[in-house]
Each structure stands twice: as structure tokens, then as C-alpha cells.
Amino acid sequence: MKISFRTLFPIALPVLASFSSAGADLSVPLQKRVLPNGLTIFLVERHQAPVFSARIAFRVGGVDEAEGRTGTAHLLEHMLFKGTRTVGLNNPADADSESHLLETEDKLWASILAEQDRLDEASAGSVYSTGKPLPLVSEKLQQLRQEFAAIQAKHSALLKPNAFSALYQEAGARGLNAGTSNDFTFYQVDLPRNRFEFWARMESERINAPVLREFYTEREVVKEERRMRIEDSPEARLKEQLLGQAFLAHPYGRPVVGWPSDLYALKRTEVQEFYRRYYAPNRAAIVLVGDLTFNEINPIIDAYFGQLKRQEDPSPVRTEEPRQTNDRRTSIEADATPIFMAGWHVPAMSHPDFPALSVLADLLSKGRGSRLFKRAVETLSIASDCQASVGEPGSRYPGLFVATGTAKGEAVPGLLGGILMEEIDAIKKDGPAKAELERLRILREMDQVQRMENPDQLATDLAVTWAATGNEQAFLGDLDRYRSVTASDVQRVANTYLVDTNRTTAVLVRPKEGEGDRALNDEIEATLALLVKKTSPDMKVADVVDSQMEMIRAKPREQRQQMLEAMKKQLNDAPKATPKQTNPDESKPDEKP
């Protein structure tokens, strides 16, 4: 079938101001093509090496999930590495048998959930009538679980684990990965140019006919990922709590990785339906940067991606966060470095005030010359790090302007918060100095230089910006919009948005440590130092101990006790390592006679 295409046209990025560290011409001809099914293709030709970077971005993320199904977008991202009907089985002829096993797994899991619901309801009724709960197990539930495990084992015997990724590795792929945010999902890989058709075949099959196999086991992997990334990280838990307090209605207040109870209840059929609704060519873009031309790849694009079917666009999120009218505060206790975090509601990236808010964030924390770094880190030495950003946790819809300070030494979060508010008040009163804006302009231009020279970074930035906005001009015009911001713009947005009644504050404080806890932590720290010194003499003991103790202190006492015993055993069993030998002539500087 003959397919007509829209005309290709070049778009030039703004040429950056010249400075001695980067004299290269950064005009980037971005070529664009849109297939009749709505799939957008971007190409930036780079012919320095016979390779290309590829990104496929979808306009779907955690914000698009239904209530009670948090984690769906992220789990689906995991599932799309499990293969297709032709990739992932020991014998492709078993595809029909696998389909039957998948349906059986789904039915058994639905029966398990239904039986658990029945037991919960019966127990609640017993409490109301007798004051006593009933057991939440039954012979039927145990039988269902046994049948479910047996079907999973039978299914597993048909599978060739990690087959999809293995094929990419055999083709010389680098950087095979994916990412999910509140606003978007994208898939990435770098390959030799002669593997372009291989890439097109793999990705078109992944989009068109994925098999969500190993769903119920992969769900457990995601739950473990949540435990590691959020539950074991005091800072991540603090951020999760900040977002939950700031967004009472909008789905930006929900974690992308999902709530554990939602993950447990998710069904494969629900995730399959989410895929069907949102993984449509008219909601996707392919970004290619490298040694390719449209003349050579057009026939391949047509053959593999032209047959994808357009879907009706789902409705956008219509829930709007009610206007905040009072200062909200929350806190968590953890034996970790204290942190102060504050967030203010701000507009989406599409709003004219967004560039000025970006400059405001940079004014506070970008580089060693920023206001918070100079005052809190260098002058007062009460913080080890200060960061400010806009568009948290997303920018497709109105989000947050977030400022974070990590305490140093005995500093408390309240002191960090006071310094932050003083700097914001100073900007509200006087605005930024002309020299500050010029410094930020130069830094932003240098950032642009670096990412334009890096094909990987360029491909990712183009992909995720398009996915968050649906418009490549959001990326192409970013620097010009940043340059156009004036001191009065920054002063105005600070006074408009960074007000107390629009603020949510979250602080991480250390718990009051009892004598027993203090003694246990001291013993763990001393034992860990001895272990590092014995087994890794070339490492800086203090740095390793400091980084590990922050994580260890946050764990329950019983778990810390177990870790201490394990370290003692390892200390006794481990052979003493020999320090790395170096050539004296190489390790010593030249000495003058």
C-alpha cells in the first residue's frame, strides 16, 4: 500500500553566543516527519561515527493511571522488556500454549483476590456481630495459590529469560534502558548504523505485539524496587510525603513506582488495557541522532512502523488541584542527615511564567556562585548541598517549585529553612542583580553546548521534552525563552508564587536517640571501619563508613543488630587484603635535586 508523508522540513536551534571554551556552530538541523498513523519521527544527522542513538517516547506516565492502580505505567515499562510472540520463548511454536497459560494465570489471580475479599468481608462481619475477627485464610485460598504457583512453573518452563535484551546485546547495543516519570515513558538504545533495520524490527514488535509474560513475578521485582529506592531512602520518603501533602486531589501526589497495595492487586489484564489505550503511534515519537539519513531509513520506517494503528486519544487528566490557602507542614524521623524541603504550587511548562521560574531556581542553587551555595554552604557551612528546581514531580500539568537543603554537622532543618526564606525574601524585595542573570545565561549556554555535542543527551532531551509537551518547540526555543527573562520577571514570579499560603514544608529530623541505640550505632560504625580497612585498604575508610552509616541508622534496631553480627563474622573470616602496589617512579611527583 502506498503511503503519503508530510514534507520534511529543517528546524534550526538558536546559535549560541560564542565563548572561548566552545566555538562550534551549534545550529542543529532537526528533521521531522509524521506518518499517517500519527507517529512522529525526528532525525538529527551526526556523521562523525557509524552509530546512532534511538529513543522512543510515549506521552503517558504515572499521572495517567486510574485511582487504585498506581505503578501501572512503570510496571508496563518493565513488561515491555519481556519480549513478543517471536522473542522470549524457547520454542516460538509454543506461543498458543503460552496464551492459554497466561489466561489461566489471570483467572486464578482474579479468583485469589476474590477469595481474599470474601474473607476480609466475613471477618469484618464477625467483628461487628461477635467482636472477634475470623482467620484470613481458607482451604480454598490455599488451593488457589497452589494452582497459581503450578501454572507459573509450567509457564516458566517455556520461557527463554532475558531474550529480548540478549538479542540487543548480540547486535552491539549500548545503553539499553527505559524510564518512566509522571509525564512520560521512554525507551533508549545506541547501536551501530548497520543495525538500524534490526532496531526497527525489534521496536515495532515491542510496540505492536508485546507479550506481558512473567507479569506476577515482575510485579514483585517492582515492589522490591520501591523498597530499595523509597522505603530505604529517608530523602525519597520525605519527597514522597511532601508531594502527598502538596497534592490532595491531583495525581501528581501519587508515587510513580506505585503503592504496595495497588501493585499487589494489579492484574495483567488491567495493565494490558492501559498499554492498549496509551501506547499508540499518535502518542509517540521516535528520536534518532547519528549516522543516518531519511533517504536511507524511510523505506525501513515505512515497512516496520507504518502498519501501527492509530488509537483514539484518551482524555487528559481533568482533576485540578484546589488552590492552597494555608502553609502545610509534615515531617519524618530517621537516623540520617537532616533535610529541609519546601514546595510551592506553580504553573505547567506551557505557562509564560515557567522560564522565569527556571531562572529563579538557578539563581538560588545553580553553581558555586548561586545564592544558597554561597551563603549556606560556603559562608555559614550549615549545608552540604542546596538544590532548587521547577516542574516537580512533572510539568505537563501545574506542579511544584521545590527547594531542598541537606544539613551539615549539627545544623537543624529549621535553620536551613530560615536561610532559604531569607534569600527568597531578598529576591522578592530587590530582584536579581544584572551580573547574576549574566552568569546564569552563560551557564545555561554552556549546558546547551555540552548537551548538543553529546548525541545520547541530545536524543534523550528531545524525546522527553516532546513527550512532556507534545511539541518540539518546547525544546528548540528553551534557550531563547530563558535568555528573554528579565530581573523584574524573576522578582514578579517570586512574589506571585513563593508565598507562605502556597507552601508545603517537609523536614527530616533525627529521632531522639536512646543510650542503647547510640551504643549500637557506635559499635556498628567502629566494626564497619575495621572491616573496610581490612578488606579494602585502598579505599577512604571515612567516606565509605559515612555513606553506609546513613543508610544503616535508618533501619530498625533488630535489623541493625543482625547487620552487626554479620559484619563481625565477616571481619573474623575475611583475609587481610594487600594494599595496591604502585610504581614509586609513577606515584611520586618529580623531585628537584
Side-chain angles (χ1 to χ4, degrees):
M1 180 176 66
K2 187 175 180 180
I3 303 175
S4 60
F5 297 95
R6 297 186 186 182
T7 306
L8 300 179
F9 59 92
I11 304 173
L13 283 169
V15 180
L16 306 185
S18 299
F19 31 80
S20 59
S21 62
D25 179 9
L26 295 180
S27 176
V28 178
L30 177 64
Q31 301 173 66
K32 177 182 177 180
R33 172 187 185 187
V34 182
L35 276 62
N37 61 12
L39 179 64
T40 302
I41 318 290
F42 294 111
L43 172 64
V44 178
E45 295 184 26
R46 292 285 175 86
H47 300 292
Q48 291 87 343
V51 295
F52 69 96
S53 295
R55 306 290 184 269
I56 300 184
F58 294 88
R59 299 203 69 202
V60 59
V63 74
D64 300 295
E65 295 161 349
E67 188 70 34
R69 295 180 185 174
T70 60
T72 299
H74 176 239
L75 180 54
L76 177 57
E77 172 221 307
H78 278 238
M79 296 310 302
L80 291 196
F81 283 86
K82 296 299 182 180
T84 65
R85 282 179 65 88
T86 60
V87 177
L89 293 172
N90 289 316
N91 183 358
D94 289 330
D96 290 340
S97 297
E98 182 185 37
S99 295
H100 174 72
L101 289 171
L102 288 169
E103 291 176 5
T104 305
E105 284 181 14
D106 294 338
K107 291 176 181 177
L108 284 169
W109 183 251
S111 297
I112 288 171
L113 291 179
E115 178 64 8
Q116 288 176 332
D117 290 343
R118 186 192 68 79
L119 291 170
D120 286 340
E121 187 174 348
S123 181
S126 178
V127 170
Y128 296 142
S129 60
T130 69
K132 296 180 181 180
L134 295 177
L136 297 180
V137 293
S138 66
E139 290 186 10
K140 180 179 179 180
L141 182 60
Q142 292 174 334
Q143 178 65 30
L144 286 169
R145 286 174 173 166
Q146 290 173 3
E147 292 177 16
F148 185 70
I151 288 293
Q152 284 187 302
K154 187 175 181 180
H155 184 192
S156 181
L158 302 180
L159 303 182
K160 187 176 182 180
N162 303 314
F164 190 86
S165 299
L167 285 175
Y168 260 121
Q169 297 304 323
E170 291 170 8
R174 293 187 303 108
L176 180 64
N177 211 334
T180 304
S181 77
N182 290 84
D183 289 343
F184 56 81
T185 307
F186 75 99
Y187 300 82
Q188 68 176 55
V189 70
D190 300 341
L191 283 163
R193 71 181 305 277
N194 63 359
R195 293 295 190 174
F196 182 79
E197 184 169 2
F198 164 82
W199 168 84
R201 182 176 71 252
M202 292 285 283
E203 294 303 320
S204 63
E205 284 191 19
R206 169 149 65 172
I207 297 171
N208 194 43
V211 176
L212 306 190
R213 54 174 66 98
E214 299 180 285
F215 174 83
Y216 298 100
T217 52
E218 192 67 23
R219 200 179 53 179
E220 296 305 310
V221 172
V222 172
K223 287 163 69 176
E224 180 60 27
E225 182 180 340
R226 175 184 166 80
R227 282 190 287 270
M228 291 176 60
R229 292 189 176 184
I230 297 180
E231 294 168 13
D232 287 349
S233 168
E235 182 174 359
R237 284 193 285 122
L238 185 68
K239 182 70 170 288
E240 185 175 81
Q241 195 147 318
L242 173 79
L243 296 175
Q245 285 288 318
F247 293 100
L248 303 181
H250 195 272
Y252 272 167
R254 306 184 310 215
V256 172
V257 73
W259 296 115
S261 56
D262 287 351
L263 290 169
Y264 177 79
L266 266 180
K267 301 173 185 175
R268 190 183 68 92
T269 51
E270 293 168 340
V271 177
Q272 186 88 35
E273 175 60 20
F274 186 86
Y275 150 79
R276 189 198 63 77
R277 292 187 66 198
Y278 289 100
Y279 274 63
N282 45 301
R283 297 183 59 82
I286 294 173
V287 178
L288 302 167
V289 179
D291 191 21
L292 303 169
T293 67
F294 263 134
N295 284 340
E296 64 179 323
I297 67 173
N298 272 343
I300 298 173
I301 294 287
D302 298 352
Y304 288 99
F305 294 101
Q307 36 83 24
L308 302 178
K309 290 182 172 55
R310 175 190 286 269
Q311 302 286 343
E312 182 179 350
D313 277 326
S315 299
V317 175
R318 301 199 187 280
T319 302
E320 296 183 6
E321 186 64 29
R323 181 173 173 268
Q324 188 170 329
T325 57
N326 62 288
D327 188 6
R328 299 173 189 163
R329 297 175 182 269
T330 186
S331 65
I332 65 172
E333 284 191 357
D335 197 349
T337 304
I339 297 172
F340 176 89
M341 195 177 288
W344 294 262
H345 290 279
V346 293
M349 188 187 290
S350 57
H351 194 280
D353 283 345
F354 199 86
L357 288 163
S358 296
V359 174
L360 175 57
D362 289 349
L363 180 66
L364 287 170
S365 71
K366 189 173 181 64
R368 300 179 68 86
S370 63
R371 293 198 176 196
L372 288 178
F373 187 91
K374 287 196 295 185
R375 187 161 179 215
V377 177
E378 284 191 337
T379 303
L380 298 177
S381 194
I382 62 170
S384 60
D385 185 49
C386 292
Q387 297 292 331
S389 59
V390 63
E392 296 281 350
S395 55
R396 193 176 358 146
Y397 301 98
L400 295 181
F401 182 105
V402 175
T404 304
T406 304
K408 182 180 180 181
E410 298 302 315
V412 295
L415 180 59
L416 281 175
I419 297 300
L420 169 63
M421 299 310 164
E422 287 177 11
E423 291 302 326
I424 290 173
D425 287 342
I427 296 169
K428 288 180 179 179
K429 180 182 177 183
D430 301 318
K434 182 177 180 181
E436 288 181 299
L437 292 184
E438 179 64 14
R439 181 186 75 87
L440 294 178
R441 181 190 65 80
I442 292 172
L443 288 176
R444 177 58 72 96
E445 290 175 349
M446 291 177 68
D447 288 346
Q448 192 87 328
V449 169
Q450 292 171 359
R451 69 178 182 177
M452 292 303 112
E453 292 178 343
N454 184 326
D456 265 355
Q457 192 63 52
L458 176 58
T460 297
D461 288 348
L462 275 166
V464 300
T465 304
W466 178 89
T469 64
N471 191 323
E472 66 275 11
Q473 291 298 332
F475 173 80
L476 298 174
D478 177 64
L479 183 59
D480 278 346
R481 288 190 293 273
Y482 191 93
R483 285 168 165 167
S484 70
V485 173
T486 65
S488 61
D489 290 331
V490 177
Q491 186 177 15
R492 176 180 55 79
V493 296
N495 279 288
T496 300
Y497 301 107
L498 272 57
V499 296
D500 291 351
T501 54
N502 189 37
R503 180 181 64 196
T504 302
T505 301
V507 294
L508 188 158
V509 296
R510 293 187 189 276
K512 292 181 179 180
E513 191 176 50
E515 290 297 327
D517 271 337
R518 187 179 302 115
L520 176 59
N521 288 340
D522 288 346
E523 187 176 3
I524 291 173
E525 187 169 352
T527 306
L528 180 60
L530 290 172
L531 183 60
V532 173
K533 189 173 182 180
K534 182 177 181 180
T535 59
S536 306
D538 296 311
M539 299 181 70
K540 291 187 69 174
V541 175
D543 290 348
V544 175
V545 171
D546 286 347
S547 65
Q548 292 296 313
M549 285 304 299
E550 182 165 327
M551 177 189 70
I552 291 170
R553 288 191 185 98
K555 296 188 178 297
R557 179 181 176 83
E558 182 180 352
Q559 192 172 349
R560 282 179 285 149
Q561 187 68 54
Q562 293 171 351
M563 295 175 74
L564 175 61
E565 296 305 318
M567 280 190 279
K568 285 181 177 179
K569 185 177 186 305
Q570 189 177 356
L571 185 62
N572 291 331
D573 296 343
K576 186 175 182 180
T578 303
K580 182 180 178 182
Q581 299 297 317
T582 57
N583 187 328
D585 294 332
E586 294 178 353
S587 62
K588 294 181 180 179
D590 293 337
E591 296 181 357
K592 295 182 180 180

